[in-house]
Amino acid sequence: MSPQPASAPDTPVGTAPIETGALGDWMDGQDLPGGAITGLRPIGGGTQNIMVRFERGGVSYVLRRGPRHLRPNTTTVITREMTLLSALSGTTVPHPRFVAGTDDESVLGAVFYLMEPVDGFNAAEQLDAPTAATAEGRTRMGYGLVDALAELGAVDHTRIGLGDFGRPEGFLQRQVPRWLAEFDRYRGTAGYPGPEFGELDRVADWLERYRPTDSRPGILHGDYHIANVMYRYDSPVVAAIVDWEMATIGDPLLDLGVLSAIWPTEPGGAELYESALGATGDLPRRAAMIDRYAAASERDLSALDWYTVLACFKLGIILEGTYARSCAGKAPRAVGERLRRYANGLFDRADRVIAGE
């Protein structure tokens, strides 16, 4: 056992303290390199969950846990992330490498795990890497985003031990009722004036009418877009797919539907989520993006319009929910207004896909 301070104080990081003595003792029990924990600092994660980076014994780690005020599903979400990342370690899918984790909340007051830091950058926020310095490089980064998704969609989830990670049977049949129920949960939120994108029933009816009859299950990231990947600095490929908290076993074509839903529709146009990379207008054309996926996948893309509309429907409802909470003072109003704009854009795109435009 490596010596730890007799009463190591809580070290404030982000919005939750990290008790370094308890963390060090736990790491000793995992046979990880010993020594003092140094350089503890928060890093961005894109969610309310907390991620901190630190060094110990000459090795760098990232710790991920739930927020200080844990949500009802925090333990389940973090535990599932551990299971998934551990299973992916035997694949070529780019992801943060899992080191160790525990569901024992007594260690740090919450379930947590350690992973290796990703040497990369988030192209939703910055484009200061050499690979992003030219229009050609940025176009290749768009293709790299598609390549990583196709690689994930090709994984046999049962072979890597994820046979019981989700409920793929009836996955597509559950989608419309699930998201309609989610919308109904905040219809009556205090101060929420209702949606600007019109009635949901018309889109819901179209989705139910044209739902594909066949669905091949696989790993679904659940929120796949530019902000949820890290790019390598030295090449236009994805270094890691991150933020796996919505992952399950479902239909991977819904991830492609998300890309299709937010991708620029016109040459030189901006991507719907207004990422730094998407705002350059250098992403490949939507048809080229889809062709790239098709060339790397054995999946049937003939119903991609349906998956695109489902993605618009699902994401629009999720984003509108944040706006509703902002009306009640439970989320920043500026964030709510921005996400409502995205929700309106998604339903507008759904309307145009349904109309055959």
Side-chain angles (χ1 to χ4, degrees):
M1 297 281 287
S2 299
Q4 296 294 321
S7 57
D10 285 353
T11 302
V13 176
T15 57
I18 301 297
E19 212 288 308
T20 53
L23 176 59
D25 288 343
W26 177 81
M27 292 179 70
D28 289 337
Q30 307 303 308
D31 294 324
L32 296 171
I37 291 174
T38 61
L40 202 67
R41 67 267 191 200
I43 59 176
T47 72
Q48 294 183 22
N49 291 323
I50 293 166
M51 293 205 301
V52 299
R53 182 166 178 164
F54 65 93
E55 286 74 42
R56 190 180 195 232
V59 179
S60 295
Y61 302 94
V62 171
L63 181 151
R64 182 167 167 93
R65 55 149 286 171
R68 179 171 191 147
H69 301 292
L70 300 177
R71 295 165 289 186
N73 66 339
T74 294
T75 295
T76 299
V77 167
I78 299 296
T79 301
R80 283 174 61 83
E81 286 182 14
M82 284 193 273
T83 299
L84 179 64
L85 291 179
S86 180
L88 287 176
S89 63
T91 74
T92 58
V93 174
H95 66 282
R97 299 292 171 177
F98 178 80
V99 176
T102 181
D103 59 3
D104 182 357
E105 297 183 22
S106 69
V107 179
L108 293 182
V111 173
F112 71 93
Y113 64 90
L114 303 181
M115 54 187 167
E116 295 179 3
V118 176
D119 185 15
F121 68 99
N122 188 322
E125 301 174 356
Q126 63 187 63
L127 294 174
D128 56 358
T131 188
T134 66
E136 178 186 4
R138 293 188 290 269
T139 299
R140 291 172 63 197
M141 288 172 66
Y143 285 127
L145 182 69
V146 181
D147 293 342
L149 181 60
E151 201 162 7
L152 176 63
V155 172
D156 182 343
H157 64 283
T158 59
R159 183 183 61 79
I160 62 172
L162 295 177
D164 60 353
F165 191 72
R167 295 187 298 133
E169 299 82 7
F171 176 80
L172 296 185
Q173 289 86 343
R174 293 194 299 270
Q175 294 307 297
V176 170
R178 174 186 176 183
W179 297 110
L180 284 176
E182 178 72 11
F183 185 76
D184 284 341
R185 286 178 57 238
Y186 49 80
R187 274 185 188 272
T189 301
Y192 175 54
E196 294 179 342
F197 48 69
E199 292 298 321
L200 293 176
D201 291 343
R202 180 177 46 79
V203 179
D205 289 345
W206 185 91
L207 286 167
E208 294 287 50
R209 191 180 316 123
Y210 295 103
R211 183 176 61 239
T213 56
D214 294 321
S215 176
R216 195 173 108 205
I219 300 173
L220 177 73
H221 179 274
D223 193 24
Y224 191 82
H225 52 87
I226 291 169
N228 282 341
V229 303
M230 302 289 288
Y231 280 95
R232 289 179 53 170
Y233 287 102
D234 59 353
S235 70
V237 303
V238 169
I241 303 169
V242 298
D243 283 349
W244 293 87
E245 61 187 69
M246 295 182 69
T248 189
I249 304 303
D251 191 329
L253 289 183
L254 183 51
D255 279 336
L256 182 61
V258 170
L259 284 190
S260 176
I262 66 176
W263 208 263
T265 55
E266 302 294 333
E271 158 250 22
L272 187 62
Y273 279 179
E274 302 173 351
S275 67
L277 178 58
T280 66
D282 293 322
L283 289 174
R285 298 187 66 172
R286 181 176 176 274
M289 179 271 290
I290 295 169
D291 287 345
R292 180 81 167 207
Y293 188 96
S297 174
E298 298 178 352
R299 295 183 180 273
D300 179 4
L301 304 189
S302 60
L304 182 58
D305 281 352
W306 187 88
Y307 290 95
T308 301
V309 173
L310 176 60
C312 292
F313 182 79
K314 168 187 171 180
L315 295 174
I317 288 173
I318 291 172
L319 299 178
E320 184 73 3
T322 301
Y323 173 73
R325 289 190 294 275
S326 76
C327 293
K330 297 180 179 179
R333 192 55 184 260
V335 173
E337 294 283 357
R338 174 169 56 86
L339 297 188
R340 164 169 261 207
R341 185 171 73 251
Y342 296 166
N344 290 341
L346 285 162
F347 274 95
D348 178 66
R349 185 156 296 184
D351 287 340
R352 285 185 280 126
V353 173
I354 290 172
E357 296 179 11

